[in-house]
Amino acid sequence: MLHKEASHTWECLLQVLQKKCSPVEFQNWISPIQLLDATDVEIIVKVPNVFVQEYLLTNYTKELALFLPLNNQGKPNIRFVIHEPKHKKTHDLLQEPLSSSSSQGDKNRLSFSLNQNYTFAQFIEGPSNQFVKSAALGVANRPGKSYNPLFIHGGVGLGKTHLLHSIGHYIQEHHKRIHIHCITTEQFINDLVNNLKNKSIEQWKTFYRRLDVLLLDDIPFLENRLNFEEEFCHTFETLIHQNKQIVITSDKPPNALKLSERLIGRMEWGLVAKISSPDLETKVAILQHKAEQRGFHLSQSVAFFIAENGFHNVRQLEGAINRLCAHCNLTSTEITRESATVILSELFYHIPKKQITIESILKSVAATFNVQIQDLKSTTRKKEVAFPRQIVMYLAKELLQDSFIKASHSLGKTRSTILHSWNKIKKQLDTNDILKQKIQLTKQNLDQEKTDI
Ligand code: ADP
Ligand code: MG
């Protein structure tokens, strides 16, 4: 049986959501959700269809995270049981926004699935995502006329869906007459199944083929689903041949997908852009931005402290900041290094601890500056080696903390030589942007190469 405390927490969550959305939205999307069961680690809810589930997850993850148990990625642990009422089929839902919006003179705009927070303005840029963001902006500015298709890939939680929805928002705002549809591949397949069941496939095809922009999230969902792949391929080709814009996201590049060569080839036609893990500075900027959105000030030093603790994707960072803000909200306290240590220790614990060593610094500097490791360790004074060697010393002082003394032994340098190099490079960093970029790149390589403790 559902216990009282769980029902109460659920009621509190509903009250918060009611304040956040319009009465119509609440009526359509939130009130059909029914709490079925709850334990300390997860809750189970009944929803009438996958759209309601998607709506709740894409729009209110943060609120859910404040009230519900979290999994080890800091995301709300919520299980959905889909229970379709007999009188309403999923495909009707697909059609509904069509007819209701057409009466507002805004035909065929299926924007209900766009997350309001996923805009370009809310997207923090850094070296790991600058290129992808520019490509996304290019497509949003001139749909069908720049890169087509645009294929965005990268690991989980790095902002692929965020960018996809940003394109959607931007096009809606700047190109009023364009028919746009943003959908996950899972939804795409569900719709297809429902329309096949209901013998409304022609209507479905007409809908897709009249689109100007198709934004498709998580293409790997199509893997090993041959029939659906074929239907998708037809849709894809019809749109692309008419210069209609397609944007696809994936956690792997096209050639790593278990899809037909034909479809992979089609996806590689346009621009394939990779989004990588954010570097330390970008993580700090994201943490500060997310804290500010929640009404908290996060100092640089605490943000660095959190960012350095091994979070590899933005979703994990967001989970950490949600947890921290929720705690500080309830206890009316500021975010400090101490509170971050206590509240996030569990999350820090779940992330494999990594260690930087002098060897990994040498390897990374050698790769970035195109020199040999043994030259870096030698005493040669050649300029092309001496300068990278100073960078090794700078990074050793910056990153090795306690083992810095040990590192100075293995480099055959005294502590004061290392401090001298550190000072020199630090001063140059104030004025030399190229050097700054190179050091950032070295640190990025280090992040990927750190050895497990
Ligand atoms: P993916 O689709 O790559 O798994 P998401 O787009 O769902 O990742 O991003 C996960 C979370 O991190 C979202 O809440 C998103 O807003 C946030 N996020 C990701 N990248 C950034 C960024 N560069 N700036 C701000 N927020 C970001
Ligand atoms: Mg995604």
Side-chain angles (χ1 to χ4, degrees):
M1 214 187 80
L2 199 56
H3 64 83
K4 230 168 132 192
E5 204 182 316
S7 308
H8 176 68
T9 310
W10 182 251
E11 284 304 317
C12 293
L13 171 66
L14 291 183
Q15 281 170 17
V16 170
L17 297 186
Q18 194 156 18
K19 281 188 199 136
K20 297 243 162 188
C21 58
S22 71
V24 178
E25 254 182 310
F26 190 80
Q27 179 65 29
N28 285 342
W29 297 103
I30 309 287
S31 43
I33 307 171
Q34 225 182 309
L35 179 64
L36 288 183
D37 199 3
T39 66
D40 284 348
V41 290
E42 74 164 1
I43 70 149
I44 304 165
V45 296
K46 186 163 89 178
V47 288
N49 53 57
V50 70
F51 299 102
V52 170
Q53 169 183 342
E54 197 67 20
Y55 172 86
L56 189 68
L57 289 178
T58 47
N59 292 295
Y60 297 110
T61 323
K62 284 161 210 148
E63 288 73 13
L64 293 173
L66 285 180
F67 287 91
L68 307 183
L70 300 180
N71 62 21
N72 56 15
Q73 291 171 341
K75 286 179 66 183
N77 227 355
I78 179 165
R79 186 141 54 92
F80 292 89
V81 176
I82 297 183
H83 180 80
E84 259 184 75
K86 295 256 177 313
H87 62 278
K88 202 159 196 176
K89 299 277 189 320
T90 311
H91 88 281
D92 296 334
L93 259 171
L94 178 73
Q95 305 305 332
E96 266 173 11
L98 260 177
S99 49
S100 61
S101 56
S102 63
S103 64
Q104 295 155 14
D106 197 11
K107 276 187 190 166
N108 298 346
R109 292 177 146 259
L110 286 177
S111 59
F112 65 95
S113 55
L114 291 184
N115 184 321
Q116 290 311 314
N117 296 322
Y118 291 3
T119 58
F120 285 124
Q122 300 286 344
F123 191 81
I124 307 291
E125 265 183 77
S128 61
N129 59 32
Q130 240 152 19
F131 174 69
V132 190
K133 188 192 166 186
S134 310
L137 254 174
V139 159
N141 260 318
R142 305 177 67 235
K145 298 194 180 78
S146 46
Y147 322 105
N148 203 13
L150 171 63
F151 188 99
I152 299 174
H153 72 98
V156 289
L158 294 181
K160 300 181 296 294
T161 303
H162 189 132
L163 279 178
L164 192 77
H165 288 210
S166 304
I167 296 175
H169 285 300
Y170 190 96
I171 294 180
Q172 275 203 314
E173 203 178 313
H174 294 84
H175 308 276
K176 301 267 184 245
R177 304 185 73 81
I178 279 184
H179 297 167
I180 175 170
H181 190 43
C182 179
I183 192 167
T184 64
T185 309
E186 184 178 4
Q187 284 172 334
F188 178 88
I189 293 175
N190 285 345
D191 288 349
L192 184 54
V193 172
N194 281 311
N195 282 279
L196 283 168
K197 266 201 250 160
N198 295 306
K199 304 195 169 38
S200 46
I201 195 69
E202 283 313 312
Q203 206 181 342
W204 182 87
K205 282 185 183 171
T206 313
F207 165 73
Y208 270 90
R209 284 157 205 193
R210 268 172 46 206
L211 288 175
D212 297 305
V213 178
L214 173 62
L215 306 174
L216 188 77
D217 209 4
D218 290 329
I219 190 93
F221 209 83
L222 206 57
E223 287 180 324
N224 304 319
R225 291 179 164 92
L226 272 182
N227 294 340
F228 301 122
E229 183 185 332
E230 200 169 317
E231 192 49 55
F232 174 70
C233 210
H234 287 311
T235 309
F236 183 100
E237 285 178 347
T238 314
L239 292 177
I240 225 102
H241 284 141
Q242 297 172 47
N243 290 331
K244 304 300 177 66
Q245 181 70 50
I246 298 179
V247 185
I248 294 172
T249 72
S250 166
D251 61 3
K252 41 193 162 186
N255 59 11
L257 287 167
K258 291 189 203 84
L259 296 172
S260 69
E261 276 183 26
R262 172 173 154 206
L263 186 53
I264 291 174
R266 299 278 188 274
M267 290 190 295
E268 285 175 334
W269 262 352
L271 180 69
V272 176
K274 182 174 178 190
I275 190 162
S276 314
S277 297
D279 61 297
L280 190 62
E281 281 75 12
T282 314
K283 282 187 199 171
V284 167
I286 291 174
L287 281 168
Q288 289 188 307
H289 175 75
K290 302 274 172 194
E292 198 179 308
Q293 276 182 327
R294 290 159 185 73
F296 280 89
H297 170 72
L298 182 66
S299 71
Q300 280 257 331
S301 67
V302 179
F304 266 102
F305 168 67
I306 300 173
E308 275 166 347
N309 263 287
F311 296 97
H312 291 303
N313 70 51
V314 184
R315 197 171 289 153
Q316 290 170 339
L317 288 174
E318 213 168 44
I321 211 74
N322 278 342
R323 202 178 256 217
L324 206 49
C325 291
H327 174 88
C328 294
N329 217 343
L330 290 172
T331 53
S332 303
T333 50
E334 300 283 307
I335 302 177
T336 59
R337 190 181 166 113
E338 287 67 36
S339 60
T341 312
V342 174
I343 294 147
L344 302 181
S345 59
E346 205 183 314
L347 297 183
F348 292 164
Y349 174 79
H350 282 290
I351 296 158
K353 290 254 184 287
K354 305 272 190 165
Q355 194 183 42
I356 299 173
T357 61
I358 188 66
E359 290 304 323
S360 59
I361 295 179
L362 281 163
K363 195 167 162 196
S364 183
V365 171
T368 315
F369 289 84
N370 204 14
V371 289
Q372 298 295 321
I373 295 181
Q374 64 263 36
D375 289 341
L376 288 174
K377 285 180 167 176
S378 73
T379 48
T380 173
R381 287 170 185 253
K382 276 195 239 157
K383 198 174 162 227
E384 59 273 25
V385 177
F387 184 61
R389 189 184 295 126
Q390 285 181 340
I391 306 244
V392 172
M393 290 191 264
Y394 167 80
L395 288 173
K397 159 86 177 77
E398 283 284 295
L399 305 173
L400 291 182
Q401 294 152 6
D402 295 346
S403 44
F404 159 61
I405 307 280
K406 224 163 79 191
S408 57
H409 290 311
S410 69
L411 282 176
K413 303 286 172 201
T414 62
R415 189 185 155 82
S416 65
T417 313
I418 295 192
L419 286 178
H420 175 73
S421 298
W422 176 75
N423 251 322
K424 209 167 147 190
I425 300 290
K426 198 167 173 4
K427 270 192 198 129
Q428 286 186 36
L429 278 175
D430 291 337
T431 51
N432 188 339
D433 280 345
I434 295 178
L435 178 62
K436 216 179 198 166
Q437 271 174 13
K438 283 210 155 181
I439 289 195
Q440 214 162 47
L441 191 67
T442 316
K443 282 184 178 173
Q444 226 165 300
N445 287 339
L446 257 176
D447 267 344
Q448 279 153 21
E449 284 192 11
K450 282 177 208 170
T451 47
D452 283 317
I453 288 177

